[in-house]
Amino acid sequence: MTKPFFTVWGRTNSHNVKKVVWFAEELGLAYERRDIGGQFGYTDDYLAKNPNRLIPTIEDGKIVLWESNAILRYMAAEYGGERWFPTDPIDRARADRWMDWQMTYAEAQRTPFLSFARTPQEEWDTSAIEQAIAVCARHLSVMEHYLKDRFWLSGGRIGIGDIPMGVYAYTWFSLPFEKPEFPAVADWYERLCERPGYAAQVMIPLT
Ligand SMILES: N[C@@H](CCC(=O)N[C@@H](CS)C(=O)NCC(=O)O)C(=O)O
C-alpha cells in the first residue's frame, strides 16, 4: 500500500497530539504537523474540520478525522497491517481495552499535570493534587499487575494498545513529585524510551 502524505493539526505539547505523531513515526508515515490549539488559537478553516475546538485532527487525502484514539485505530487499520491492528478479536480487544482505559486514567492525571506543568505553585490546590496522585497510583497498580508477566500492554510486542498510555506514562514519570514504585510499569516505560519516535515526539519538556 502506498503511504500517503499525512497532515496532523495540533500543538506539540498536547498529550493527544503526541499519540498521533509518535504513532505516525512508528508506522513510517510521512507527515506534516501544523500548530493549532492552545496558545495558537483556532482558525475558521480548522473549526470547519473539527467543530469541537479540540486537537488533534488528521487528514490524509481520504478522511478528515478527530478523536485521538479513533485516529490511532484508523492509522493502524489503514497503514499498520496485522502488525499494529490485529485481526484476531482477542488481541484486538486487549489493545482496545488499554486504549479505552487511558481515557479514565487521563482524567486522574489531569490535575497533577496542569498544576505542576502549567500553574504557579502559589495557586496549587495541594489536597486536590494529592488525591489525584493517589487515584493515578491506584490505576497504575492495575497496569503493574498486568505488566508483571508481559513486556507490552498489547502482549508480546508493542502494539496500538501501548500508544495512549505510553504518552501519559512519560508525564507521570516526568512530573516532580514522590511516586510509589511500580517496577513493571517502570521497565515498560524504559522500553518505550528506547524507541526513536517516542523519544522525539513524546519525551519533550512538559509545558
Ligand atoms: N477526546 C479527545 C480530547 C481532545 C482534547 O481534549 N485535546 C486537548 C489537548 S490534549 C485540547 O484540544 N485542548 C484545547 C486546546 O488545546 O485548545 C481526543 O482524544 O482527541
Side-chain angles (χ1 to χ4, degrees):
M1 168 160 326
T2 319
K3 297 199 171 176
F5 191 77
F6 202 74
T7 305
V8 182
W9 280 273
R11 56 188 163 81
T12 52
N13 60 346
S14 144
H15 287 81
N16 290 308
V17 172
K18 283 178 171 188
K19 293 177 193 173
V20 174
V21 287
W22 167 30
F23 196 42
E25 298 216 359
E26 292 286 354
L27 296 181
L29 292 176
Y31 69 92
E32 173 193 40
R33 191 195 52 75
R34 297 198 190 153
D35 278 326
I36 199 129
Q39 71 272 33
F40 299 99
Y42 290 97
T43 60
D44 289 343
D45 182 51
Y46 180 81
L47 293 174
K49 297 180 202 302
N50 184 347
N52 296 297
R53 223 179 178 84
L54 292 172
I55 48 173
T57 302
I58 61 139
E59 185 166 21
D60 74 350
K62 294 187 201 164
I63 186 172
V64 173
L65 189 63
W66 39 261
E67 202 56 48
S68 61
N69 288 352
I71 293 172
L72 296 180
R73 289 186 179 98
Y74 168 73
M75 291 164 74
E78 188 65 15
Y79 306 113
E82 181 68 24
R83 164 75 190 81
W84 288 98
F85 203 59
T87 44
D88 178 77
I90 293 178
D91 289 342
R92 178 88 60 84
R94 286 194 175 119
D96 271 339
R97 180 251 313 272
W98 288 111
M99 296 177 80
D100 291 354
W101 190 84
Q102 167 268 311
M103 303 292 234
T104 308
Y105 180 80
E107 274 308 302
Q109 199 170 266
R110 192 177 158 78
T111 296
F113 167 65
L114 290 179
S115 306
F116 282 93
R118 296 196 182 152
T119 310
Q121 190 163 357
E122 55 276 16
E123 291 172 29
W124 290 359
D125 178 342
T126 43
S127 126
I129 294 172
E130 279 168 20
Q131 278 177 35
I133 292 173
V135 176
C136 289
R138 271 206 309 278
H139 287 316
L140 289 173
S141 69
V142 174
M143 241 174 95
E144 174 70 17
H145 183 71
Y146 190 80
L147 284 170
K148 269 193 179 132
D149 312 318
R150 294 169 188 87
F151 263 43
W152 301 101
L153 292 176
S154 306
R157 58 185 183 178
I158 188 170
I160 189 175
D162 293 272
I163 304 293
M165 274 311 294
V167 170
Y168 285 83
Y170 170 69
T171 302
W172 168 261
F173 284 104
S174 303
L175 290 176
F177 52 77
E178 213 174 302
K179 301 174 181 83
E181 301 248 324
F182 294 117
V185 175
D187 287 350
W188 167 79
Y189 172 64
E190 271 187 31
R191 287 190 280 280
L192 290 175
C193 295
E194 288 164 8
R195 304 189 74 82
Y198 186 81
Q201 301 302 336
V202 180
M203 301 178 73
I204 58 175
L206 294 175
T207 56

